[in-house]
Amino acid sequence: MPYAWQSKGMKQSGVEDMVLLPKIQEGAIVDNLKKRYTEDLIYTYIGPVLISVNPFKPMPYFTEKELDQYQGAASYENPPHIYAVADAMYRNMISEREKQCVIISGESGAGKTVSAKYIMSYIAKVSGGGPNVQRVKDVILESNPLLEAFGNAKTVRNNNSSRFGKYVEIQFSGGQPDGGRISNFLLEKSRVVSQNPMERNFHVFYQLCAGANKEDREALGLTNPDYYYYLNQSGAFVVDGIDDVQDYNETRKAMDVMGIGLEEQVEVMSIVAGILHLGNISFEESGNYAIPCDDEFMAFPAYLLGVSDQLLKTKLTSRVMETKWGGKSETVNMQLNVEQASYTRDALAKALYSRVFDYLVNAVNAAMIDRQQVSIGILDIYGFEIFQKNGFEQFCINFVNEKLQQIFIQLTLKAEQEEYVDEGIKWTPVEYFNNKIVCDLIESKRPPGIMSILDDVCATLHAQSDGADIKVLEKLGQAALPGNQHYVGFSAGFTVQHYAGKVTYEVDGFCERNRDVLFKDIIELMQSSQHKFIRDLFVEDLVNVKRGKPTTASTKIRTQANQLVDRLMLCTPHYVRCIKPNETKKAHDWETERVRHQVEYLGLKENIRVRRAGFAYRRPFDKFLRRYAVLTKETFPHWHGSVTDGIKHLMSTVNMEPDQWQFGRTKLFVKNPESLFLLEEVRERKYDHYARKIQKCWRRFRSDLYFDSLKKQASSIVMNKKERRYATINRNFAGDYIGIDENPALKSLIGRREKIEFAATVNKFDRRFKCTKRDLVITGQFVYLIGREKVAKGPQKGQFIEVVKRKLAMEEVVSVSLSPYQDDFVVLHTKDYDTVFETVFKTEFLNVLNAKYQHQMGRGLNVAFNQAITFSVKKEGWGGGGKKQLAFQKVGQASFPSLKPSGGKMMVSIGAGLPSNTTPGRQAVRRPNAARSQPNQARPQQQRQQQQQGWGRPPAQAPGVMPGSRGSLKRRNTGDKKMSIPRGGQKKVANRKSKEFNPDFLKVAQPGAGAGRRAPPAPMPKRNRAPPPPPPSLPQCKAVYAYDAADTDELSFTADAIIEIVKKDPSGWWTGKLRGREGLFPANYVEEI
């Protein structure tokens, strides 16, 4: 049976698993990715690692069809897909009872966030149901739009860039999600108050301005984004592909799902609006001190934050300092200059926003229950990035990416090779760059790295900040860092040679952002708010202040990164490596050098080499034997002997080649994935076989009790209306008469989640009353007619394949007509055109169709019995259509009909049957086999080929409730006070800052440490090609019985005829050659020579 992607005519591009590339070179990897990308095939494997190229457009293969296709399927059965990774995680967690995680990595704009969302949606879809389970799924899925609104923003490199990191843990019990937890890392707070040219602030600000209704806009003082200084600095307000109004509705809907009440939503959005108004407060110098340029701008932020405008003005322009002298303490009220006042304003805005963000993350976690059990973790974190100006935030972001790269190296390159050595496996080491030296350069304590030196400088400065950044540079210069080949210092900053490229950081602002200090005056201001929600965000105890070294931002991110690494190391990891093909953000644009750079620093070539030379699977002896013991009677349920002898017995039983597996000291190693797939397939068949035995015994028991009533129920449809046949009146119903359970390819033509209620081969009559074979299948929702077609072109040209000829929904069925005699003709009337067929199982067919029709439509099926039946035929092209007629007459005693077509009418003559009031009697139940081994058997179904074409578009999220129908964002108990915003806003302030945009930083980065020191590959030696081998002679078989072909694609032969065997098929229908003609023939009519 061909795999899904080998179905008829589906185009193939490149290699799906790059382990199979003929040349292991960066150029070959890039070319293969490009071939697939240009054909909209964005996924490629390197063994179990998935490579994903950002398509910059919606892709059509994320529909219900693909959800069904990948659920429970082995990775080799389908093309590479993110769903295959998600399914492997889910099935491994259930079968092994071990924690799983997926590490999604890549630079900014490579598609990491979208990949994480597809994984979460897949797991939510396939993992069971129930009210509580559905609630957890809703929380997991709706957390995405909520956290994206408050944590994502447009950057020059990515229109929906994550400006924070998150690790989502979905916790399971019995395969169903019943809890979870989200951890967040390093929100880029500085974006609230300042953005680079052509970038935006966080999405929620623009969503609120665009999506709020008229009442909310008035209550919150909302207008166009260019009015606000925190939004108008960069000149970017609208983003292609982002609908701020729709996203606002999704954000409010997500808040509802998280259990955030209307009052809390009012408080959150009021703070968001208050931050915008806070940014419009500007200062000017008066006697060396700062005063507001216009006191009018104080009123609205004070109103939204629940403080007096005079107190807000005081706290922004002055600071209470406590000094100690001679054991005495004294407080001094210090007036601030313009720079200090602006810094205080921005510090308040950043503190408000970051604490609201933490509140939302806690609300998501509160909506789930943290149960500390087996889980699937999804890491979606900011990607490696280089901007025109790189500051403290980029330094921290790139450090976290270095740590993630270190995990990938540790688990896929370093640990794997060390394991071979420890287990005594013969191994030739593969060289690679280990970026631990870069991580140590940044985070090491002894000798001190960049972060440790930065913390030391911040700890000695106290309240003084002037000259702090220069002192950091001096300290870095005095340390041993200049001797490190990955570090270069200069007058205004330093350059680090990261694994992904060289990045130059300007130290201006490093100390301020690292100290992350919120002065006591600002905390007191917020604790005086009239709104409890705001007071609860600022819970610091200002009376009992503990003295000690404050925790810096670099210490937090270093601690969080190492804790994250520890948590990931407790899980079985899976990897998605995302690649950004261009900087234009346009579909099908391909920048070869940019992709080559990413292929180099991601270490894909080394990954392929290790994968190709190593072993695909390894397992401790006892766990391996326990998993595959079911394969033989000797090892299941218990093996009596040594564990290695048991494994040897298993391997010999499945006929695995000795060079495909090897014993280590404590583990068994399996070489190729195909060998592992063999074990898994045999194991799955065993379990499936046992499950079917249990099911059949149970069904037989139940059917004994049920069959009598079922036959009587079915007979009631034709009682006193149609004569009965002598041979079938007491027949038991089997449902499946074509062995569909033994033909998974045929079953694949039916929807995976559709239960097959009836299946039989029928004689279908066309407009000329010509008879052809069709497979008739009834499910809970549809009626299928399956036929055979000859492939006209492509690699399968000349072969016959099974296709769905007609698929009818229950609502398309109008009625069914039969004659009053014992014949087997049935006419299925539909809204379009009618279908005429003949089946001996007509009573069972009527019973099943009537039951399913009644369940779907709420009414019984209309069944008519007439001596003349008029039916409509299919209109084809300019001709066809019209009406035809079947006429029936009772003649003699013949049990089989005589057919005489003439023009648009066919006369059916048949003998008398049993009286129409005959009822079935009792009979012992004997289920007919779907396919018999006797020579005169009915034709078994040929193995079908699965067709997987036409990927559908991903289902759009349900539209949120329009803001006009939501509760108002206006606060209660505010009296009749009406607020108005000052005219003009801060457009003129934004114009003062002329930022020049230099796009040079978007070019491909200089080679990083991960791409350095690679020796060029040795040229392949030339070889003389051997002449092609002669075509092999075909095996032969001898006919034991004569056979007359029943269809045009079959062979007719006499006993003792010699047939050449072209292809054997498990279905029992082989392909052969006889007298120069190729066709199908039944295998049980012949014996091999």
Side-chain angles (χ1 to χ4, degrees), residues 936-953:
N936 294 325
Q937 66 175 29
R939 170 181 172 176
Q941 280 303 162
Q942 183 198 9
Q943 187 81 356
R944 267 81 168 174
Q945 296 177 332
Q946 185 181 7
Q947 178 184 7
Q948 297 289 355
Q949 288 184 337
W951 313 71
R953 193 171 288 274

Side-chain angles (χ1 to χ4, degrees), residues 408-424:
F408 184 79
I409 291 171
Q410 179 76 25
L411 296 179
T412 62
L413 300 177
K414 183 174 182 289
E416 183 164 350
Q417 297 192 73
E418 289 177 350
E419 184 178 35
Y420 295 146
V421 175
D422 294 341
E423 289 287 330

Side-chain angles (χ1 to χ4, degrees), residues 112 158 180 194-195 364 418 518 533 571 627 657 743 771 782 784 787 793 808 821 857 1022 1063:
K112 300 181 296 300
N158 185 1
S194 176
Q195 307 90 42
V364 173
E418 289 177 350
L518 188 62
F533 183 89
C571 305
R627 180 167 182 80
E657 296 294 333
N743 286 278
C771 175
F782 300 99
Y784 293 85
K793 57 183 179 179
L808 295 169
Y821 307 125
M857 306 300 294
K1022 294 183 178 180
K1063 180 184 176 182

Side-chain angles (χ1 to χ4, degrees), residues 23-24 102 236 323 374 409 461 533 638 715 777 821 851 949 967:
K23 294 182 180 180
I24 311 177
V102 57
T323 62
V374 290
I409 291 171
L461 291 177
F533 183 89
H638 300 291
S715 298
V777 179
Y821 307 125
Q949 288 184 337

Side-chain angles (χ1 to χ4, degrees), residues 905-969:
K905 178 179 179 181
M906 183 169 72
M907 178 62 69
V908 181
S909 303
I910 194 166
L914 292 174
S916 60
N917 60 354
T918 306
T919 57
R922 190 172 182 84
Q923 181 179 334
V925 177
R926 281 190 170 82
R927 283 183 166 277
N929 293 324
R932 299 183 174 88
S933 59
Q934 286 77 13
N936 294 325
Q937 66 175 29
R939 170 181 172 176
Q941 280 303 162
Q942 183 198 9
Q943 187 81 356
R944 267 81 168 174
Q945 296 177 332
Q946 185 181 7
Q947 178 184 7
Q948 297 289 355
Q949 288 184 337
W951 313 71
R953 193 171 288 274
Q957 292 180 323
V961 181
M962 292 302 293
S965 63
R966 294 188 174 276
S968 172
L969 290 176

Side-chain angles (χ1 to χ4, degrees), residues 25 134 319 562 794 881 922 1018 1046:
Q25 298 173 351
Q134 189 58 46
R319 185 180 306 156
N562 287 310
R922 190 172 182 84

